[in-house]
């Protein structure tokens, strides 16, 4: 009987290697003797939000290591579809900015398009919607772009509506403000809005350090909810540090993480980002996270399951019982999350008060308007 010399490589590992090759320009590997299920790899890449990056990595491989022709055609068509979506989002964002300029409203773009600009090929950083923050003109924005026809997101941090065929999330707050720690981080991010940078397209993006804090909190919120964090989110953190290593002061960064009480969370996400990107950010580390926890977190990301979704139709105490059972089985995860044990189990949301937020932002908005003149 002939021995099969084909060495199987998990599609997840191949995906990470191709992302490193495309985004960070590092690493070389040989798929010649490997049995790759290209359809499975494509599906995983799509789920993890890295479809375009993996395709770019494939294009850098020698011809003999690339997938069969039909797979390449399917992949190329899917990538073009995502990039067309990006161009459509850019057009809609330009319309939003044009309307806001006429109304004297400043626009801050979060995640998605705002983050895509730091990548070599912006359209390869896929996004499902447009996230905007209007510096206190939240209600006015809702009326301008939705005519009052909008829904609230989780924790009431943003309104969601369709504008010109694209889903837009208009943020009342930058992050969720359900817990004391989250409100502490929100206050920090608001205080640093004055450092936001305006890009050529006429909108603002967060400063590198504020963006890092924002991305950490965004990833943590997905780790806590039933909507899973993805490899794309980890690449964002790694690439932001990679691109801004010289402009983010390490001492200031670590001081901020301690001050807003997310230092341990930062350590975990930094370790995962290093594992995903193949880079090392040792100067940002204070304590090394247990390798077992990093592996558990990666496994959780690949399984696309970070929490349980408890039906709100169930009796209140039944919901608590189910959440408590899940919490007890996932203690390793919750020690890194900025949520208290009680809030994780009870989920007692306290919606933010928009008028109070407006008052806090008034001096910042005035300064930003002066800087624009």
């Amino acid at each position: 009987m002939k021995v099969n010399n084909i060495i199987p490589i998990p599609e997840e590992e191949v995906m990470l290697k191709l992302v490193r090759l495309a985004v960070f320009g590092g690493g070389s590997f040989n798929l010649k003797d490997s049995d790759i299920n290209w359809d499975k790899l494509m599906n995983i890449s799509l789920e993890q939000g890295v479809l375009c990056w993996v395709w770019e990595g494939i294009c850098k491989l020698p011809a003999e290591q690339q997938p069969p022709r039909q797979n390449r055609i399917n992949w190329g068509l899917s990538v073009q579809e995502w990039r067309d979506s990006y161009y459509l989002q850019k057009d809609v964002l330009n319309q939003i900015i044009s309307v806001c300029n006429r109304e004297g409203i400043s626009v801050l773009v979060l995640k998605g398009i705002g983050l895509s600009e730091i990548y070599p090929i912006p359209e390869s950083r896929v996004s499902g919607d447009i996230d905007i923050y209007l510096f206190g003109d939240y209600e006015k924005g809702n009326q301008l772009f939705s005519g009052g026809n909008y829904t609230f997101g989780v924790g009431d941090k943003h309104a969601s509506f369709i504008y010109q065929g694209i889903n837009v999330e208009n943020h009342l707050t930058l992050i969720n403000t359900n817990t004391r720690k989250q409100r502490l981080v929100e206050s920090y991010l608001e205080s640093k809005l004055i450092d936001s940078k305006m890009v050529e397209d006429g909108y603002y993006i967060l400063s590198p350090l504020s963006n890092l804090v924002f991305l950490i909190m965004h990833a943590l919120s997905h780790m806590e909810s039933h909507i899973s964090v993805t490899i794309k989110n980890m690449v964002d953190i790694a690439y932001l540090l990679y691109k801004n290593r010289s402009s983010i002061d390490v001492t200031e960064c670590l001081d901020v993480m301690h001050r807003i009480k997310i230092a341990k969370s930062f350590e975990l996400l930094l370790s995962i980002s290093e594992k995903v990107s193949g880079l090392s950010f040792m100067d940002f580390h204070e304590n090394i996270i247990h390798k077992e926890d990093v592996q558990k977190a990666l496994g959780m990301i690949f399984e696309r399951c970070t929490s349980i979704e408890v039906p709100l139709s169930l009796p209140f105490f039944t919901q608590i019982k189910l959440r408590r059972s899940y919490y007890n089985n996932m203690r390793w995860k919750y020690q890194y999350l900025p949520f208290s044990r009680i809030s994780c189990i009870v989920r007692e949301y306290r919606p933010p008060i928009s008028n109070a937020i407006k008052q806090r932002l008034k001096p910042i908005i005035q300064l930003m308007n002066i800087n624009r003149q």
Side-chain angles (χ1 to χ4, degrees):
M1 180 177 169
K2 187 177 179 181
V3 178
N4 189 346
N5 291 321
I6 294 178
I7 304 170
I9 296 180
E11 281 71 18
E12 291 90 348
E13 188 60 34
V14 174
M15 181 190 73
L16 293 181
K17 288 179 177 179
L18 289 168
V19 168
R20 291 169 197 152
L21 186 62
V23 179
F24 302 98
S28 60
F29 55 100
N30 194 332
L31 298 179
K32 195 173 183 180
D33 298 321
S34 304
D35 183 18
I36 304 299
N37 185 330
W38 293 101
D39 290 330
K40 182 179 178 182
L41 177 59
M42 185 175 177
N43 289 334
I44 294 172
S45 301
L46 184 60
E47 287 177 358
Q48 295 296 334
V50 296
L51 183 78
C52 297
W53 290 332
V54 173
W55 172 246
E56 289 172 23
I58 288 172
C59 291
K60 291 185 177 183
L61 293 174
E64 65 272 12
Q65 294 186 36
Q66 293 187 7
R69 182 174 180 274
Q70 190 57 51
N71 289 103
R72 294 200 305 273
I73 291 172
N74 292 340
W75 211 306
L77 290 172
S78 297
V79 166
Q80 191 57 52
E81 187 176 335
W82 274 106
R83 288 179 175 172
D84 287 344
S85 175
Y86 172 87
Y87 299 134
L88 180 59
Q89 287 180 9
K90 284 284 285 186
D91 287 341
V92 172
L93 178 59
N94 288 335
Q95 293 178 47
I96 290 173
I97 293 166
S98 179
V99 172
C100 286
N101 284 341
R102 289 199 300 269
E103 297 292 329
I105 300 173
S106 297
V107 181
L108 177 78
V109 180
L110 302 164
K111 302 182 293 181
I113 291 178
L115 198 60
S116 70
E117 299 301 325
I118 69 172
Y119 286 98
I121 305 177
E123 56 267 36
S124 290
R125 199 285 180 187
V126 300
S127 178
D129 49 37
I130 299 174
D131 288 79
I132 58 174
Y133 180 80
L134 303 180
F135 298 96
D137 284 313
Y138 169 78
E139 291 97 339
K140 191 174 181 180
N142 287 340
Q143 291 302 320
L144 280 171
F145 300 113
S146 74
N149 183 25
Y150 57 87
T151 58
F152 289 108
V154 175
D156 292 342
K157 73 172 177 180
H158 60 66
S160 295
F161 49 82
I162 302 297
Y163 182 71
Q164 303 295 335
I166 296 295
N167 187 58
V168 178
E169 294 183 351
N170 179 25
H171 282 245
L172 173 60
T173 57
L174 293 160
I175 62 171
N176 285 329
T177 53
N178 308 318
T179 68
R180 184 182 300 175
K181 189 175 290 188
Q182 287 174 319
R183 290 190 286 276
L184 178 63
V185 178
E186 174 71 18
S187 295
Y188 167 78
L189 289 174
E190 287 178 8
S191 72
K192 295 298 179 181
L193 284 173
I194 190 63
D195 297 328
S196 299
K197 174 188 173 185
M198 180 177 277
V199 299
E200 290 182 2
D201 287 344
Y203 61 83
Y204 287 95
I205 58 172
L206 293 170
S207 67
L209 182 52
S210 293
N211 217 342
L212 179 61
V213 171
F214 175 83
L215 291 178
I216 289 166
M217 295 303 294
H218 176 248
L220 292 173
S221 69
H222 279 288
M223 287 181 72
E224 191 271 340
S225 74
H226 63 273
I227 306 170
S228 175
V229 67
T230 63
I231 293 297
K232 176 182 70 176
N233 302 133
M234 299 298 103
V235 173
D236 284 340
I237 292 173
Y239 199 75
L240 184 70
L241 282 170
Y242 173 71
K243 284 285 288 184
N244 297 282
R245 213 159 187 173
S246 59
S247 58
I248 296 180
D249 182 83
V250 175
T251 303
E252 181 187 2
C253 176
L254 296 178
D255 177 64
V256 166
M257 297 304 170
H258 281 287
R259 190 150 30 98
I260 60 179
K261 304 183 186 303
I262 60 169
K264 196 169 184 179
S265 306
F266 175 54
E267 289 280 355
L268 176 65
L269 293 178
L270 187 63
S271 298
I272 300 170
S273 297
E274 287 176 325
K275 190 88 173 174
V276 168
S277 65
L279 301 177
S280 174
F281 301 106
M282 283 307 297
D283 43 341
F284 285 91
H285 280 288
E286 290 183 299
N287 301 294
I288 303 300
I289 299 297
H290 291 299
K291 289 182 180 179
E292 295 84 357
D293 289 350
V294 177
Q295 286 302 122
K296 286 177 184 176
L298 264 177
M300 190 174 64
I301 291 171
F302 281 125
E303 289 172 10
R304 299 285 287 141
C305 178
T306 57
S307 183
I308 56 168
E309 185 175 8
V310 179
L312 297 179
S313 57
L314 292 175
F316 179 68
F317 287 105
T318 302
Q319 293 180 42
I320 292 178
K321 185 177 179 181
L322 289 172
R323 291 194 190 109
R324 179 168 185 160
S325 176
Y326 177 81
Y327 173 88
N328 288 336
N329 290 328
M330 300 291 284
R331 284 179 180 272
W332 71 268
K333 180 182 79 168
Y334 282 98
Q335 65 177 310
Y336 297 107
L337 299 183
F339 315 100
S340 70
R341 176 177 179 274
I342 298 300
S343 66
C344 289
I345 295 172
V346 178
R347 301 282 182 93
E348 198 170 13
Y349 292 129
R350 280 184 276 178
I353 302 171
S354 58
N355 288 332
I357 291 171
K358 275 187 176 180
Q359 292 302 314
R360 291 206 307 268
L361 290 177
K362 264 188 177 178
I364 295 172
I365 295 168
Q366 289 170 356
L367 280 171
M368 294 186 78
N369 288 336
I370 291 170
N371 291 340
R372 289 183 67 182
Q373 293 172 357

